[in-house]
Amino acid sequence: DTGVSQNPRHKITKRGQNVTFRCDPISEHNRLYWYRQTLGQGPEFLTYFQNEAQLEKSRLLSDRFSAERPKGSFSTLEIQRTEQGDSAMYLCASTLDGGNYGYTFGSGTRLTVV
Amino acid sequence: AQSVTQLDSQVPVFEEAPVELRCNYSSSVSVYLFWYVQYPNQGLQLLLKYLSGSTLVKGINGFEAEFNKSQTSFHLRKPSVHISDTAEYFCAVIPTGGFKTIFGAGTRLFVKA
């Protein structure tokens, strides 16, 4: 297994455009998370999937954000009508049930909105 | 709700010196505790974790951490650091049986030659 894969690594977009990020978790991991990290801060929880079901969404996730995990495999995070405040590193992580395993993170997608 | 406070935003230290990165947490329920390391432009990597049992846990790269329930702390230590340990370190908690990990703001460890 090659770990958690995120694409693209970097994305520069103009304000108002839509962007989509992809995350491929470790195949046997049923939990998948999206976090956002801004400069000098720790990761902030955005949303969580148990298999294909999205079970929790943070208040940080406005209506412009949507995430999917079809068939419980890869996941996508879409941001519509991007704003400069959306500029951040978007991290995907996966793990097994139980909470005691810790997360395996991808390398992240760095979004810059100009 | 849980919260994590990392008491130092930056820790400069000379190579081969010992280091301690401090972490305090707050929670009304029992938690699992973790330390992660993040190198520039990379995701986070798990260093070590405390689940139960012995309060001193050892992790990768020679790091260890001690859980102190009465002080609600989980400080990270290394007896002798290397230049390659320069990175950002995050303390994190998750409620036992829960699903969401809460991270601290991070401590930047800078090892000088």
Side-chain angles (χ1 to χ4, degrees):
Chain A
D1 200 320
T2 56
V4 178
S5 176
Q6 289 190 248
N7 287 289
R9 288 294 308 276
H10 304 275
K11 179 70 176 178
I12 300 174
T13 191
K14 292 184 178 180
R15 190 174 53 187
Q17 297 294 305
N18 299 343
V19 294
T20 300
F21 311 141
R22 177 178 171 124
C23 171
D24 288 90
I26 292 174
S27 55
E28 60 265 31
H29 285 182
N30 57 339
R31 292 188 181 185
L32 185 148
Y33 297 82
W34 286 97
Y35 279 79
R36 181 169 67 186
Q37 186 180 24
T38 53
L39 199 61
Q41 297 298 316
E44 295 175 294
F45 172 82
L46 292 179
T47 191
Y48 152 65
F49 289 86
Q50 177 92 13
N51 300 311
E52 68 275 13
Q54 187 176 19
L55 297 185
E56 180 85 4
K57 288 174 61 173
S58 166
R59 286 173 294 175
L60 293 174
L61 223 60
S62 74
D63 292 344
R64 298 183 297 105
F65 288 72
S66 62
E68 294 182 341
R69 191 184 182 195
K71 301 179 182 178
S73 56
F74 71 93
S75 177
T76 58
L77 177 67
E78 180 183 17
I79 309 174
Q80 296 182 325
R81 304 181 302 282
T82 52
E83 302 173 354
Q84 286 189 324
D86 297 332
S87 295
M89 174 79 89
Y90 289 84
L91 294 166
C92 177
S94 69
T95 189
L96 295 165
D97 275 338
N100 53 331
Y101 295 96
Y103 294 170
T104 301
F105 279 88
S107 296
T109 294
R110 182 168 295 284
L111 173 66
T112 303
V113 182
V114 297
Chain B
Q2 292 74 43
S3 66
V4 178
T5 302
Q6 292 187 240
L7 299 164
D8 307 291
S9 59
Q10 294 186 71
V11 174
V13 63
F14 284 104
E15 193 175 20
E16 297 183 6
V19 71
E20 178 179 81
L21 306 184
R22 298 180 295 167
C23 172
N24 286 100
Y25 70 94
S26 173
S27 178
S28 57
V29 299
S30 60
V31 295
Y32 298 135
L33 296 131
F34 304 85
W35 276 97
Y36 288 84
V37 60
Q38 185 177 33
Y39 299 101
N41 298 313
Q42 293 186 27
L44 282 70
Q45 178 184 1
L46 182 64
L47 265 182
L48 51 76
K49 60 185 178 182
Y50 174 77
L51 306 180
S52 64
S54 173
T55 57
L56 184 65
V57 292
K58 296 187 183 296
I60 61 172
N61 301 340
F63 284 92
E64 62 183 31
E66 185 156 20
F67 170 60
N68 187 317
K69 187 174 183 179
S70 62
Q71 297 186 5
T72 60
S73 68
F74 190 53
H75 300 334
L76 181 70
R77 302 186 183 105
K78 186 170 183 178
S80 176
V81 294
H82 303 289
I83 297 286
S84 59
D85 292 322
T86 294
E88 187 114 26
Y89 292 80
F90 293 95
C91 182
V93 301
I94 186 171
T96 56
F99 66 87
K100 182 168 66 178
T101 298
I102 305 300
F103 291 85
T107 297
R108 181 167 298 277
L109 175 64
F110 179 59
V111 181
K112 301 178 285 185

